[in-house]
Amino acid sequence: MTAPAEHLPEAVLRPVRGHHAFEACVEQLATAIRLGVYPLGTALPPERELAAILQVSRATLREAMAALREAGLVETTRGRGGGTVVTLKPRTPSARAAARISPERRRDWLDALEFRRVVEPGAAYLAARIQPAGVRREQLERALADVDAARRPAAHRQADSRFHLTVASLADSPRTIEAVTSVQATLHEMLLAIPVLGTNIAHSDRQHAALVKAILAGDADRARRVMEEHCDDTAALLRGLLG
């Protein structure tokens, strides 16, 4: 079995910062695998050891490993002699789609994530400054409820996009709406190329709720921070799984 360069895992993997460790774990481990820190055929360190390096709970690490399995990056066997091994064999439709992405498309998608980090927190800030009331308040609350109620992956993705577009529409800025529409269209393509991950959706739903609370309270700075965290978590997951 192939062995990783002994010094690289400790150099590349680092303690996870922030409240949403799942996405950060996926990004770090997937990046380490893609860059050959753990080459094809390598057994990843034991769960206890990886959790200690990343400074996350073993439950969080298990969720991250499940995401890597869904993406076709690793396989896990149980029992004596079992463990998690790097396979790089895309088995699900989303994993196969990710494997077919051209370098040019990857660069465009990474640029879109940076662009999103600029425009969507700004849209949230403007929406909170206006502090919607009446019909516009109802539109925002209904958009949030639609995301929470969506059960099928396709329906959830669409409801999620509508929620973000609703936030942008409250900014009363046609250029902001145009920018968010563009970035959401690209984000939709990216999400189609990764597995649907329940842990990430649960994080996202909580952030949506916090964002709505901040906007309706007129707390523009808080709305911007929440959207920044939301964009950062999604970007970490996508960078990890799409490479």
Side-chain angles (χ1 to χ4, degrees):
M1 183 175 293
T2 306
E6 292 183 0
H7 66 287
L8 284 181
E10 290 186 4
V12 172
L13 300 180
R14 58 198 180 280
V16 167
R17 309 294 182 189
H19 298 293
H20 303 295
F22 165 73
E23 291 87 354
C25 281
V26 172
E27 180 182 21
Q28 286 202 44
L29 291 171
T31 299
I33 289 169
R34 292 184 189 281
L35 295 181
V37 175
Y38 295 107
L40 182 65
T42 295
L44 295 184
E47 185 180 277
R48 183 186 303 104
E49 183 178 330
L50 273 180
I53 293 172
L54 295 168
Q55 293 186 14
V56 297
S57 69
R58 293 176 71 173
T60 295
L61 182 65
R62 289 188 195 108
E63 291 171 343
M65 298 305 290
L68 298 181
R69 285 194 294 272
E70 282 288 317
L73 297 177
V74 301
E75 285 183 349
T76 301
T77 56
R78 304 297 178 187
R80 184 182 296 275
T84 299
V85 177
V86 175
T87 55
L88 298 174
K89 294 179 180 178
R91 289 183 170 80
T92 64
S94 61
R96 288 192 291 271
R100 292 193 297 268
I101 298 167
S102 69
E104 293 76 14
R105 177 61 65 86
R106 288 182 197 276
R107 284 195 294 270
D108 178 66
W109 282 1
L110 290 174
D111 180 62
L113 293 178
E114 296 293 343
F115 183 56
R116 185 191 189 206
R117 183 57 160 71
V118 174
V119 298
E120 292 218 41
Y125 179 88
L126 291 175
R129 283 185 60 185
I130 293 171
Q131 198 173 357
V135 172
R136 308 192 84 189
R137 180 188 185 101
E138 292 172 4
Q139 290 172 344
L140 183 60
E141 291 175 334
R142 184 167 62 251
L144 177 64
D146 287 347
V147 178
D148 291 340
R151 293 293 175 261
R152 292 181 296 107
H156 188 275
R157 277 194 297 269
Q158 289 188 335
D160 188 282
S161 294
R162 288 196 302 271
F163 173 80
H164 284 270
L165 293 173
T166 298
V167 171
S169 73
L170 298 177
D172 276 343
S173 167
R175 290 186 180 184
T176 299
I177 295 170
E178 181 181 1
V180 173
T181 300
S182 172
V183 81
Q184 280 293 318
T186 303
L187 189 68
H188 182 76
E189 293 180 22
M190 298 176 78
L191 291 172
L192 288 174
I194 69 168
V196 177
L197 303 170
T199 301
N200 174 250
I201 289 175
H203 286 174
S204 177
D205 288 348
R206 288 195 293 271
Q207 288 169 332
H208 287 165
L211 178 62
V212 168
K213 183 177 179 180
I215 290 173
L216 296 182
D219 190 340
D221 289 332
R222 172 65 177 161
R224 177 162 50 195
R225 286 196 301 272
V226 172
M227 184 65 89
E228 286 172 347
E229 291 175 3
H230 183 54
C231 291
D232 288 345
D233 285 350
T234 303
L237 191 70
L238 289 167
R239 283 194 302 264
L241 296 183
L242 296 177

